[in-house]
Amino acid sequence: MTGAPASDFRHIPVLLTEMLEALSPQGKGIYVDATFGGGGYSRAILEAAPGVHVWGIDRDPRAITGSAALAATFPACR
């Protein structure tokens, strides 16, 4: 994907159900997604527990640029 525009950045999270079961996001918790990528795990956490805060971290400029749409949908996503 080198050189691909941010809008083309896609990732299908694996073990999504298992991650949600293990974290059991709730309340006003703070969660860190240290492999933000396409934001699939962050989106799932935010959808599972309204009111949580997610901090997404990634060095890939495409992931950083692509995170704007998720942040617009979920203001708690940072």
Side-chain angles (χ1 to χ4, degrees):
M1 291 195 52
T2 302
S7 61
D8 291 342
F9 190 69
R10 301 281 189 264
H11 171 74
I12 299 171
V14 296
L15 301 173
L16 187 61
T17 302
E18 293 82 356
M19 178 276 299
L20 287 172
E21 288 174 2
L23 288 181
S24 185
Q26 53 191 305
K28 295 183 187 253
I30 298 171
Y31 298 85
V32 176
D33 182 349
T35 57
F36 184 80
Y41 290 110
S42 291
R43 178 178 293 281
I45 292 168
L46 291 161
E47 289 174 346
V52 302
H53 292 270
V54 175
W55 290 63
I57 301 169
D58 205 303
R59 290 182 59 180
D60 187 330
R62 295 171 298 165
I64 295 167
T65 301
S67 68
L70 187 60
T73 304
F74 299 96
C77 185
R78 307 221 188 274

